[in-house]
Amino acid sequence: MSALDSLPHGPEFRFVDELTDLDPGKSARGTYAIRGDEGFLAGHFPGRPLMPGVILVEAIAQLGGVAAQSDPEVPAVDGLLLTGIRGAKILGAAVPGEVLEISATVEGRLGPMIQVAGEVTVGDRKLATAKVMLSGQ
């Protein structure tokens, strides 16, 4: 079982294809290749598809969840969900054929609440930054 298997999402809504680095319970780096056949791209925008900024933030949350749930010292949180977004900035756009590079760092935990900071880049272009709150039962 890979750490990505801790994601509760179906394959159609996973925005991390591969883990490139994992410091269990602390941080992770991963990638997502924008294929171009994702259903939401057909309408965002017809003839000029762009990866939605909210999905860039979702990718940070998903990768943060992988990092947090992999902590060997802390039991996994049941029902972990994205429950808050702070300080999100959408700084650029990505298009089909590009590979998102995602990073997430667990900044703190309080019981079933986890704060994560992350960013998404393509090469040297920073596309998004955000702090997200994940929580569960």
Side-chain angles (χ1 to χ4, degrees), residues 26-113:
K26 296 180 181 163
S27 65
R29 298 180 77 67
T31 61
Y32 178 77
I34 305 170
R35 300 179 313 274
D37 65 349
E38 294 91 344
F40 54 82
L41 287 178
H44 196 266
F45 295 92
R48 197 177 62 107
L50 297 175
M51 189 70 157
V54 295
I55 292 181
L56 299 177
V57 174
E58 173 68 21
I60 292 169
Q62 288 184 11
L63 188 62
V66 169
Q69 296 286 64
S70 67
D71 192 330
E73 306 289 320
V74 179
V77 176
D78 288 335
L80 191 65
L81 299 171
L82 172 60
T83 56
I85 300 170
R86 291 191 5 232
K89 294 182 182 173
I90 308 303
L91 306 165
V95 298
E98 292 186 311
V99 176
L100 304 178
E101 299 162 23
I102 311 144
S103 65
T105 301
V106 175
E107 291 191 322
R109 297 180 86 122
L110 181 58
M113 297 182 296

Side-chain angles (χ1 to χ4, degrees), residues 6-31:
S6 69
L7 287 171
H9 310 84
E12 307 83 4
F13 202 76
R14 284 193 183 174
F15 301 108
V16 181
D17 291 329
E18 179 182 6
L19 283 177
T20 56
D21 187 47
L22 178 63
D23 186 357
K26 296 180 181 163
S27 65
R29 298 180 77 67
T31 61

